[in-house]
């Protein structure tokens, strides 16, 4: 038994809600997810998957530890 194709993955979570049926919070979160996806794709294109994954993991660690993500002037 092999893994199902990636195209089948969305079915595990049910159909995506239609944009007009989404709450304002869902729309806001979706907007951030799209922004993050675009940045991640750009990092992969310029520096590779390892850099992108490392950056995302490090960012998550900083969030979990309540550490600042950017230096304040």
């Amino acid at each position: 038994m092999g893994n199902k194709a990636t195209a089948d993955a969305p079915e595990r979570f049910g159909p995506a809600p239609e944009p007009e049926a989404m709450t304002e919070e869902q729309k806001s979160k979706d907007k951030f997810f799209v922004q993050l996806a675009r940045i991640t794709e750009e990092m992969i294109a310029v520096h590779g998957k390892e850099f992108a994954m490392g950056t995302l993991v490090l960012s998550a660690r900083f969030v979990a530890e309540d550490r600042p993500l950017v230096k304040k002037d």
Side-chain angles (χ1 to χ4, degrees):
M1 243 180 163
N3 290 336
K4 285 191 168 193
T6 307
D8 293 339
E11 293 177 15
R12 293 183 302 178
F13 305 108
E18 295 296 323
E20 60 273 359
M22 294 171 67
T23 66
E24 290 303 313
E25 182 177 6
Q26 288 172 319
K27 289 177 186 177
S28 175
K29 288 178 180 180
D30 190 59
K31 180 181 170 186
F32 282 116
F33 189 78
V34 169
Q35 289 176 321
L36 182 58
R38 288 183 177 145
I39 291 168
T40 302
E41 287 177 346
E42 186 177 351
M43 287 191 294
I44 292 168
V46 176
H47 297 291
K49 288 191 320 185
E50 290 79 12
F51 172 77
M53 287 185 296
T55 301
L56 295 167
V57 168
L58 186 60
S59 295
R61 183 175 174 182
F62 274 42
V63 170
E65 295 174 356
D66 292 322
R67 293 172 61 183
L69 297 169
V70 295
K71 291 183 179 181
K72 308 276 190 225
D73 291 335

